[in-house]
């Protein structure tokens, strides 16, 4: 790595081996939130939405074999490293770092404030083994683990698909996982903290979105915005049956907002929102959880 | 730009099982086009467009391009059709795409170049470029543009499309990233490109129908479709290519096939920017050549 490399990049680069079996590392390429487009074009917006600070990209080459590429991101916080990791959860757990997936020559994992992608240009038995070996080496070199977003504690555990939780700040990312609206009707604005979770699988699955805003006023504005755009017939009742027969429920409590999508019944939506409310109120350690509750139960819309 | 918000609830009103992405908003529209209103898109395919190793066959691709341009204009001769596209006094920029994982193949570039030269344009007034178009004097002074790029999924815009291929004509591409690139079509109104595009070629030789990871590419998610989609309307070309990608995803994933994020920039290019036609009902799709596995 050249002398002009910033200290943070030097530190991150030190976690990445300089060889992988007979594959040798090429010169690092280093990007920040402004220059990442030079590397992965518009796809850089995904990582910018998680407040990325730095990316160290190291390519490993051996003549006649597929290249391997390590993309190591310093996301600034472990919350956002976790969030970036949850953008793509396909694949099987590889037991690396604080969470990982492997599929088709691609290993993704997070540890501490780092999110790491290790990619083989072509998956072979050899490259698969090297990708996993590199991953283990990088994860072991990163000295500290970090906490997941505290917001996840507000996801009721009953029925939760714990390995399908997404964390993000941006409505485009929400829509990537679950299309809600083509505009930011939840007022995420790229700064709110949001967790989207699956409850159940397949046709019976419902989803829970929990959002933490800067303050209760912003949460109330977001609740009104969502209700106006998505549940206009509910008239403040906070519970609405959609044309597909599924139920949507909305609750605002303090600086938190929760929405249940696609619940099989109204009581299912209500009970999940009540469970979120109970978790908020139990978490006095968080502060700010004692705001007004505006959800009211009501009948069917449409 | 103010507009009505479209929510998941709106889609559920249309049909409980309706696709949910913004790109499918034509499902919310009504109205039927007469044959005279329709915009023509040609899909030409050849099982031999790629060899066994996946390398493009230049001769086959030239023939496919010629057939497509002939069909586009209803001409019997490709040279005549090209003379309707390009004048000898034109200055021509072929906007290509150099994305390393899936670039515009050189065979496509050369097939286009050959026909532009045969239309009477001297080589000194022809250039093929991507990232350097703003600094390229041919592109800065172009009177005609030919737009050629591979179809692929994209982690932010949903689809790497003909519309998106012009993002290199702006000095700060990220300025068009808002709402997952919703307003890419606005670029087509900038003086450097406005009204200059004579032909769009959406390369469907080995499209990428799914992406994973930061590198966005895995060969497992490409397939040898062996096609070119050719039209004077970039929106219609993209909307047609999108149908193919969605059909492939339905086949592969056994789900609704929707791209994520929604490539709504294609539909908005029609409804908001009036660049072309995204509604399949208003597109006359001419299919030529290899029909097996056409998907649409």
């Amino acid at each position: 790595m050249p002398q002009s490399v910033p200290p943070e990049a030097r530190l991150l680069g030190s976690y990445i081996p300089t060889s992988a079996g007979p594959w040798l590392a090429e010169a690092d390429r280093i990007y920040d939130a402004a220059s990442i487009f030079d590397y992965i074009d518009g796809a850089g917006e995904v990582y910018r939405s998680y407040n990325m600070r730095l990316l160290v990209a190291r390519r490993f080459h051996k003549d006649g074999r597929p290249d391997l590429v390590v993309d190591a991101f310093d996301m600034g916080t472990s919350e956002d490293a976790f969030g970036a990791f949850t953008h793509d959860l396909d694949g099987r757990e590889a037991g690396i770092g604080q969470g990982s997936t492997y599929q088709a020559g691609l290993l993704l994992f997070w540890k501490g404030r780092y999110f790491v992608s290790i990619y083989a240009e072509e998956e072979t038995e050899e490259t698969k083994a090297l990708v996993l070996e590199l991953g283990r080496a990088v994860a072991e070199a990163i000295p500290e683990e970090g906490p997941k977003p505290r917001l996840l504690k507000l996801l009721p555990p009953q029925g939760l698909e714990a390995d399908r939780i997404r964390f993000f700040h941006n409505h485009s990312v929400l829509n990537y996982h679950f299309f809600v609206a083509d505009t930011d009707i939840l007022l995420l604005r790229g700064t709110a903290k949001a967790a989207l979770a699956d409850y159940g699988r397949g046709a019976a699955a419902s989803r829970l979105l929990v959002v933490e805003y800067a303050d209760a006023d912003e949460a109330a504005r977001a609740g009104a915005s969502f209700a106006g755009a998505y549940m206009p017939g509910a008239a403040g009742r906070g519970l609405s049956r959609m044309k597909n027969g599924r139920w949507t429920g909305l609750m605002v409590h303090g600086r938190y907002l929760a929405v249940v999508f696609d619940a099989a019944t109204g009581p299912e939506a209500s009970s999940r929102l009540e469970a979120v409310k109970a978790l908020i109120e139990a978490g006095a350690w968080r502060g700010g959880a004692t705001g007004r509750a505006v959800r009211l139960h009501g009948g069917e819309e449409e | 730009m103010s507009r009505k918000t479209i929510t998941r609830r709106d889609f559920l009103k249309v049909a409980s099982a309706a696709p949910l992405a913004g790109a499918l908003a034509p499902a919310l529209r009504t109205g039927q086009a007469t044959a005279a209103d329709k915009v023509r898109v040609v899909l030409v395919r050849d099982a031999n467009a790629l060899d066994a190793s996946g390398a493009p066959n230049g001769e086959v691709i030239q023939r496919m391009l010629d057939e497509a341009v002939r069909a586009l204009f209803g001409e019997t001769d490709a040279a005549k059709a090209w003379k309707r596209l390009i004048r000898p006094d034109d200055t021509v920029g072929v906007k290509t795409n150099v994305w390393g994982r899936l670039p515009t193949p050189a065979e496509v570039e050369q097939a286009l170049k050959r026909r532009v030269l045969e239309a009477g344009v001297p080589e000194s007034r022809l250039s093929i470029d991507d990232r350097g178009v703003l600094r390229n004097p041919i592109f800065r002074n172009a009177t005609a543009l030919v737009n050629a790029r591979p179809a692929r999924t994209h982690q932010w815009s949903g689809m790497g499309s003909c519309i998106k291929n012009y993002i290199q004509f702006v000095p700060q591409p990220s300025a068009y990233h808002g709402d997952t690139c919703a307003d890419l079509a606005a670029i087509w109104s900038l003086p450097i490109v406005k009204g200059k595009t004579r032909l769009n070629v959406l390369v469907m030789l080995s499209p990428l129908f799914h992406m994973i990871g930061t590198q966005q590419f895995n060969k497992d998610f490409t397939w040898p479709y062996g096609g070119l989609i050719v039209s004077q309307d970039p929106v219609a070309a993209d909307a047609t290519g999108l149908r193919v990608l969605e059909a492939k995803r339905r086949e592969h994933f056994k789900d609704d096939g929707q791209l994520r994020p929604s490539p709504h920039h294609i539909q908005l290019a029609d409804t908001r920017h009036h660049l072309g036609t995204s509604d399949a009902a208003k597109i006359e799709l001419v299919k030529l050549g290899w029909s097996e596995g056409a998907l649409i």
Side-chain angles (χ1 to χ4, degrees):
Chain A
M1 200 177 287
Q3 289 300 311
S4 59
V5 171
E8 299 85 359
R10 190 179 303 281
L11 176 66
L12 181 50
S14 73
Y15 299 150
I16 309 171
T18 53
S19 64
W23 274 248
L24 299 179
E26 299 179 348
D28 286 351
R29 286 177 289 173
I30 297 163
Y31 304 92
D32 60 18
S35 62
I36 190 172
F37 301 125
D38 297 338
Y39 184 48
I40 52 174
D41 299 331
E45 291 288 7
V46 172
Y47 307 100
R48 285 163 53 93
S49 82
Y50 288 104
N51 307 304
M52 70 158 283
R53 306 279 179 86
L54 189 70
L55 163 61
V56 174
R58 185 175 295 176
R59 178 176 288 268
F60 295 80
H61 178 77
K62 175 177 169 50
D63 286 347
R65 305 287 178 84
D67 280 4
L68 311 174
V69 182
V70 176
D71 292 323
F73 291 79
D74 181 345
M75 306 302 297
T77 67
S78 61
E79 284 195 344
D80 281 330
F82 171 80
F85 170 71
T86 65
H87 191 72
D88 186 353
L89 291 173
D90 292 341
R92 63 167 178 79
E93 168 66 47
I96 292 173
Q98 291 184 254
S100 60
T101 62
Y102 178 87
Q103 65 164 330
L106 174 70
L107 172 70
L108 303 173
F109 74 89
W110 74 284
K111 183 177 179 183
R113 68 176 196 257
Y114 303 105
F115 164 66
V116 181
S117 159
I118 305 179
Y119 168 79
E121 298 268 0
E122 182 182 339
E123 186 190 38
T124 64
E125 285 302 314
E126 186 178 37
T127 58
K128 178 180 177 180
L130 287 169
V131 164
L132 294 172
E133 181 182 313
L134 271 171
R136 281 189 285 269
V138 175
E140 286 170 14
I142 295 171
E144 292 181 1
E145 295 193 344
K148 289 182 180 178
R150 290 185 303 175
L151 187 65
L152 271 54
K153 295 180 187 290
L154 299 185
L155 300 173
Q158 187 176 1
L160 172 67
E161 298 288 339
D163 59 349
R164 307 295 298 169
I165 300 169
R166 323 280 185 166
F167 176 77
F168 48 89
H169 308 285
N170 180 298
H171 89 279
S172 295
V173 177
L174 168 62
N175 282 342
Y176 180 84
H177 299 304
F178 184 73
F179 179 77
V180 172
D182 65 343
T183 58
D184 186 14
I185 61 174
L186 285 157
L187 310 185
L188 300 182
R189 306 185 198 277
T191 54
K193 297 178 179 179
L196 177 70
D198 292 355
Y199 283 79
R201 294 199 178 209
S206 61
R207 289 179 173 82
L208 171 64
L209 175 72
V210 179
V211 186
E212 178 182 357
Y213 295 92
D215 55 43
D217 288 342
E218 182 70 352
R221 277 192 292 273
S225 168
F226 179 83
Y230 203 93
M231 308 167 72
R237 293 170 299 187
L239 196 62
S240 178
R241 192 175 191 192
M242 299 288 137
K243 280 292 185 187
N244 64 350
R246 296 286 186 140
W247 289 77
T248 299
L250 166 67
M251 176 191 75
V252 177
H253 193 70
R255 65 171 186 266
Y256 299 98
L257 173 150
V259 183
V260 172
F261 294 98
D262 290 342
T265 65
E268 178 191 328
S270 294
S271 65
R272 188 150 300 133
L273 294 174
E274 290 293 347
V276 175
K277 182 180 173 186
L279 288 166
I280 293 170
E281 293 181 342
W285 49 271
R286 304 204 45 164
T290 55
R292 56 191 177 276
V294 297
R295 182 176 66 85
L296 300 169
H297 295 275
E300 297 183 7
E301 182 201 10
E302 304 167 308
Chain B
M1 272 174 263
S2 65
R3 60 186 165 107
K4 181 188 180 301
T5 293
I6 297 172
T7 69
R8 181 179 203 85
R9 176 177 167 275
D10 295 315
F11 287 102
L12 296 175
K13 280 181 182 171
V14 175
S16 61
L20 296 171
L24 291 195
L28 298 172
R29 302 206 305 266
T30 58
Q32 295 189 343
T34 64
D37 295 331
K38 291 189 175 183
V39 58
R40 182 172 290 186
V41 172
V42 179
L43 166 62
V44 58
R45 298 178 66 230
D46 194 307
N48 298 311
L50 302 172
D51 69 17
S53 71
N57 181 320
E59 282 186 26
V60 173
I61 287 169
Q62 183 73 69
R63 192 164 61 239
M64 291 167 64
L65 181 67
D66 288 347
E67 288 174 8
V69 174
R70 276 201 302 267
L72 196 60
F73 291 100
E75 292 281 1
T76 55
D77 180 68
K80 283 184 183 174
W82 273 97
K83 286 187 187 303
R84 291 174 60 172
L85 282 170
I86 301 292
R87 298 185 308 267
D89 61 350
D90 273 324
T91 297
V92 181
V94 176
K95 175 62 178 67
T96 188
N97 193 290
V98 299
W99 190 61
R101 313 274 179 207
L102 193 64
T104 306
E107 291 79 2
V108 172
E109 295 174 349
Q110 292 308 309
L112 291 166
K113 178 180 178 180
R114 195 172 294 118
R115 294 300 178 246
V116 171
L117 294 176
E118 288 175 3
V121 175
E123 191 153 6
S124 60
R125 280 194 276 111
L126 168 65
S127 181
I128 301 172
D129 203 346
D130 179 12
R131 305 290 169 98
V133 291
L134 284 178
R135 301 181 301 275
N136 186 318
I138 297 293
F139 279 83
R140 290 164 65 102
N141 297 297
T143 57
L145 295 171
V146 176
N147 183 23
R149 67 152 304 150
R152 67 177 178 97
T153 51
H154 190 279
Q155 205 166 36
W156 197 248
S157 67
M159 177 176 165
S161 60
C162 284
I163 299 166
K164 186 177 185 303
N165 205 35
Y166 276 12
I167 201 163
Q168 297 297 336
F169 284 106
V170 298
Q172 189 186 354
S174 60
Y176 290 84
H177 287 173
D179 188 17
T180 55
C181 299
D183 293 306
L184 285 171
I187 294 168
W188 289 62
S189 294
L190 300 177
I192 193 169
V193 296
K194 186 176 183 179
K196 296 180 180 179
T197 302
R198 307 285 174 81
L199 192 70
N200 299 279
V201 180
L202 187 62
V203 179
M204 305 286 293
L205 296 174
S206 55
L208 178 68
F209 66 90
H210 183 60
M211 70 220 156
I212 55 174
T214 56
Q215 301 291 323
Q216 298 188 80
F217 183 82
N218 187 298
K219 199 175 176 184
D220 292 350
F221 297 123
T222 65
W223 85 108
Y225 187 70
L228 299 175
I229 290 175
V230 179
S231 181
Q232 291 196 284
D233 180 336
V235 185
D238 289 341
T240 305
L242 175 59
R243 287 175 58 203
V244 176
L245 295 181
E246 289 173 341
K248 181 63 181 177
R249 289 173 60 88
R250 281 194 294 274
E251 179 184 89
H252 186 88
F253 294 115
K254 313 297 184 200
D255 63 10
D256 65 8
Q258 297 306 290
L259 272 63
R260 297 180 306 153
S262 158
H264 53 246
H265 69 271
I266 298 171
Q267 185 239 329
L268 293 172
D270 175 352
T271 57
R272 185 184 294 174
H273 298 281
H274 312 296
L275 177 63
T277 300
S278 64
D279 186 346
K282 296 177 181 174
I283 294 171
E284 179 196 8
L285 179 60
V286 178
K287 295 194 278 188
L288 304 175
W290 186 35
S291 61
E292 183 184 346
L295 296 174
I296 60 171

